[in-house]
Amino acid sequence: MTLPRKHLFDLPPGVIYLDGNSLGPLPKGAAERAQRTITDEWGGQLIRAWNSAGWMALPQQVGDRIAGLIGAAPGSVATGDTLSIKVYQALAAALKMRPDRRVILSDSGNFPSDLYMAQGLIGTIDKGYELRTPAPQDVAEAITEEVAVVMLTQVDYRSGRMHDMAAITARAHAVGAVMIWDLAHSAGAVPVDLAGSNAEFAVGCTYKYLNGGPGAPAFIYVRPDIVDNIQPALSGWLGHDAPFAMEPEYRPAMATERMRVGTPPIVQLVLLDAALDAWEGVSMAEVRAASQVLSERFIREVEARCPTLRLASPRDPQARGSQVSFAFDHGYAAMQALIDRGVIGDFRAPDIMRFGFTPLYLDEADVVRAAEILEEVIGQELWRDPKYQTRSRVT
Ligand SMILES: *Cc1c(COP(=O)(O)O)cnc(C)c1O
């Protein structure tokens, strides 16, 4: 089957959805699957459903499906919790691997929660750790022998700029640092060769390009050859080797499953499992090629139609993830005006209008139409309407 596969999604009529990089749409059938889980399994089978409905196996099954999309071996990806939690776990485990070093290296473009989690962990350990955040283009230079862990998000959430995963991981390893990749804007967006990169850890979320729904469980990858020596900071019972042995001492599972913490969110996992059906038979190379066609076309159209907008993403499609950002002083109001006309993107402070390209359910006609509507909003200054000026809690 070729792309797009719009028939697999429940998109509201009249909407061009360019925000699948933030919250993917509802896959058809997912709601029914969740409904069955709620009424038949929870309602009908009650606690027996952990066994009878296969709930207990679900986190690992879904992890294996995600592994297939990020170039990881089956069994190397655990699911659950939120991405922020998974960042904390990966970082805490990575620091334990380099007890003589005190520097965590990230970059100034990283998503705030990743940096906040690092700050919180540094405070908890209270052993003089330091978080360094050079500009993204200076990261490679900053990987020195002082660095314990390099923690980067591969695709920048604001600009879409992409780090060279293989080169940076190699550089980190050359100085003896541990590598953590955040794949929040990579999983389902760009081909990832996680095993090939040799990185020790990766984390990501599933409600963006993977369409798992709001609050969908996150994932964590641990390189299989090191997992037996990883010390989980959040040593919950479901990361224990034998949760139902109820042993008084923590003893981690002999797999990535040790990075699990507590009871898995079954309804969310069912939604995610259903959402992953849309990826059956699609190669990430095919998705990448289609996404580049869409984003290149969008840039051409917007630059021709809206000269006051400035491209805030790398111009080279190879250096970009699956999103395109434009800077515009009145970006917030302009995005509200655009959304009001059925073209949904989002805004990131201070002035970024962000558009995600998700070839599972977008085609070239959609992006041309989106650019036409954007031209109306900008050219006729429709964004000046007072109703577009008030900021909501979520932008
Ligand atoms: C979306 C995103 C998050 C969000 O974390 P949650 O815990 O899922 O809210 C964190 N980090 C990055 C890099 C992201 O893109």
Side-chain angles (χ1 to χ4, degrees), residues 1-3 5 7-9 61 64-66 68-69 272-284 286-287 360:
M1 207 189 316
T2 53
L3 299 172
R5 318 176 139 191
H7 61 282
L8 298 180
F9 293 88
Q61 276 168 21
D64 284 348
R65 297 187 80 181
I66 295 168
L69 294 171
L272 175 58
D273 194 37
L276 290 170
D277 289 350
W279 296 90
E280 288 297 326
V282 190
S283 76
M284 282 311 303
E286 186 185 4
V287 170
L360 289 188

Side-chain angles (χ1 to χ4, degrees), residues 82-85 110-111 113-114 153 157 182 184-185 205 207-208:
T82 74
L83 174 50
S84 303
I85 303 282
N110 204 349
F111 191 86
S113 200
D114 296 37
T153 298
Y157 75 102
D182 189 326
H185 295 273
C205 53
Y207 50 80
K208 292 172 180 163

Side-chain angles (χ1 to χ4, degrees), residues 140-271:
E141 295 280 281
I143 303 176
T144 62
E145 297 200 342
E146 286 175 287
V147 174
V149 181
V150 181
M151 179 186 79
L152 295 172
T153 298
Q154 187 193 15
V155 177
D156 184 291
Y157 75 102
R158 270 204 203 92
S159 66
R161 174 206 39 76
M162 195 153 58
H163 278 304
D164 182 336
M165 182 181 272
I168 289 192
T169 306
R171 166 109 197 152
H173 289 169
V175 300
V178 177
M179 187 74 225
I180 302 173
W181 285 107
D182 189 326
L183 303 178
H185 295 273
S186 306
V190 298
V192 177
D193 181 11
L194 201 46
S197 80
N198 215 27
E200 284 86 351
F201 298 93
V203 293
C205 53
T206 62
Y207 50 80
K208 292 172 180 163
Y209 292 92
L210 297 181
N211 314 311
F219 65 86
I220 184 165
Y221 162 88
V222 183
R223 207 176 69 199
D225 63 302
I226 61 168
V227 74
D228 289 353
N229 295 315
I230 294 303
Q231 295 181 45
L234 303 178
S235 39
W237 73 309
L238 284 183
H240 193 279
D241 193 40
F244 284 87
M246 304 292 176
E247 297 170 7
E249 293 292 325
Y250 180 71
R251 190 165 57 77
M254 296 310 282
T256 313
E257 294 296 289
R258 70 177 57 190
M259 300 308 253
R260 285 176 56 189
V261 184
T263 304
I266 293 302
V267 179
Q268 288 278 188
L269 278 163
V270 165
L271 286 169

Side-chain angles (χ1 to χ4, degrees), residues 14-75:
V15 162
I16 299 175
Y17 196 56
L18 304 180
D19 215 359
N21 53 313
S22 211
L23 177 67
L26 174 64
K28 275 201 184 120
E32 289 72 18
R33 287 267 302 274
Q35 184 65 48
R36 278 205 305 278
T37 298
I38 293 168
T39 47
D40 301 359
E41 297 175 8
W42 177 24
Q45 300 172 45
L46 295 165
I47 200 166
R48 294 168 290 186
W50 284 105
N51 293 313
S52 57
W55 287 357
M56 213 52 185
L58 197 55
Q60 211 165 355
Q61 276 168 21
V62 170
D64 284 348
R65 297 187 80 181
I66 295 168
L69 294 171
I70 56 174

